[in-house]
Amino acid sequence: MAELPTYRFAPAFEAPTGSAIRELFKYLSQPGMISFAGGYPPPALFDRQGLAEASERALREAPVDCLQYAATEGLPMLREQLQALMQRRGAEVALDELMVTTGSQQGLDLLIKVLLSPGDRVLVERPTYPATLQALRLAGVQPVGVATDGEGLATDALREQLAGERPGRFRLLYCVPNFANPTGACLPMTRRLELLALAAEHDFLIIEDDPYGALRFAGDPVPSLLALQHQVPGAAGRVVHLSSLSKIVAPGLRVGWMVAPVPVRQRCTIAKQTVDLCTSPWAQRIAAEYLAAGSLERHLPLLVAGYRAKAERMLAGLARLGRQFEMTAPQGGMFIWGRCSGGVQASALFTQAVAQNVLFVPGQAFFGDEPDPQALRLSFAAPDLAAIDDGLARLQRAFEAL
Ligand code: PMP
C-alpha cells in the first residue's frame, strides 16, 4: 500500500483523546462479561410493540414526512408532542423555543458552537458527564469544576468560587440536576433556586441537561430549572434545557430536544443546518406517533419499576460489601457513584474486576481536573437481577484479590 501523506489536522484534533468509556468497550466482548459500565437502557425494557406500531403508522400515514427532508427545527407534529411533554413536566414552553436535536448530545454541541469561543471558561459539576468535557475541550473551552456532594452541585461552594470574579467571567454553567451522570444525585429545590440566583448575579447561562429526570423511582419530583427560572429575579431567559428520548424510549431513535430562549434557539437552528440539515424525519415521525398514542405514558411506569428493582438490588448487594465501598443511594436514573475506602484505587480494582469478568467505570473519566482515584461509577440499568447478583459477587472477589 502506498505511504500516506502527512495530514495537517485542526489543532484540537492533532492528538485528541477519545472517550475513556468507549475504551472500555473492548472488554465487553470478553465471554461472560457482566457490565455495570455503560449507561445503556436494558433491551428487555424497550417497548418493542409500541415502537413497531408507531413505525408502521408513521410510514403508512405520513410516508412523505418520513422520507423527505424536514425543517431543521423538527417536524411540527413532534415539536407539538414535545411541547405537551414539557407541560406535563411542569414547564410551559413556546413552540418557537423548542427544537428537535439528534440526541441531546447534539444540543450540547450546537450550544457550544453558538455560545462559546476558544479560551472561554465554563463551569461544570465535579465530576461530570465526560462527553461534555470532551466537547468543551475540542472547542478550546476550559471546563472549570464546581464541587458536588450527595445532593449534586454545592451552591455554597459555587458562591465562594464566584466571589471576587467579575460578572461575565464564566459564560455558562453546565449541569445535570436530575440523577446526574455519574453521581446519580438530584439537586434539591433550595439549591436550584440558589443556582438561578447566582446565574442572575454573575451573568451566566445555565445548560440544564435532563435525560434522566423521568426515571425517578423514589422521592418526590423537583421542578426543573427551566420551570423555576421565573421565580427568581433576573433569572428568566438564563436557562437552556436539553432532554432526550434516549433513556425513556430508545437511544437508537437519536431524538432529543432543546428548549432555549428564541435568540439562542434561532442560532442553534442555523448551526444545525450545517451539521445534519435535520434530525432523521423518519425517526422523528415514529417518535411523534409514539408520543401521540400515549405509549410513553403507558410504558414509563414499567420502565421506572424495572429501574427501581435493579437499583434496590444493587444497593442491597453493595451494602454487603460493607466499609470497603461508600456510596449515596440515587432516587432515579441509572447510576451509583461510590468510593473505595482504605486507600484502594479504582484503577487497581478495575484490573481485578476485568479478571473476574465484571466491568465498571473508574471515576477518572468524569473529572476535568485532578481526579478522585478512589471513585467509580456503577450502572444498574442494563444487567438483569441475576446478573446484578453475579456481578456484585465478582466485584467482591475483585476487592478480596486486592
Ligand atoms: N447527557 C447526559 C448526562 C448523558 O448521560 C447522555 C448519554 N449518556 C447524553 C447527554 C446524551 O444522550 P443522547 O444524545 O442519547 O440524547
Side-chain angles (χ1 to χ4, degrees), residues 5-16:
T6 305
Y7 299 104
R8 276 177 300 235
F9 292 105
F13 284 89
E14 271 167 15

Side-chain angles (χ1 to χ4, degrees), residues 39 102-106 129 132 174 176 180-181 209-212 243-247 251 254-256 335 377:
T102 302
S104 53
Q105 190 66 41
Q106 183 181 61
Y129 174 47
T132 296
Y174 167 86
V176 186
N181 182 359
D209 190 7
D210 186 27
Y212 302 107
S243 194
S244 173
L245 295 183
S246 287
K247 312 292 179 173
R254 307 306 303 130
V255 169
F335 305 112
R377 188 192 78 178

Side-chain angles (χ1 to χ4, degrees), residues 27-28 30-36 321 347-360 386-402:
Y27 299 109
L28 285 177
Q30 207 163 294
M33 180 62 86
I34 293 177
S35 176
F36 299 146
L321 289 175
S347 54
L349 183 67
F350 181 79
T351 308
Q352 295 300 334
V354 170
Q356 295 291 341
N357 247 0
V358 61
L359 277 189
F360 61 82
I388 289 177
D389 290 344
D390 265 4
L392 289 176
R394 294 175 191 187
L395 198 61
Q396 169 80 55
R397 289 198 288 277
F399 268 110
E400 283 160 11
L402 284 172

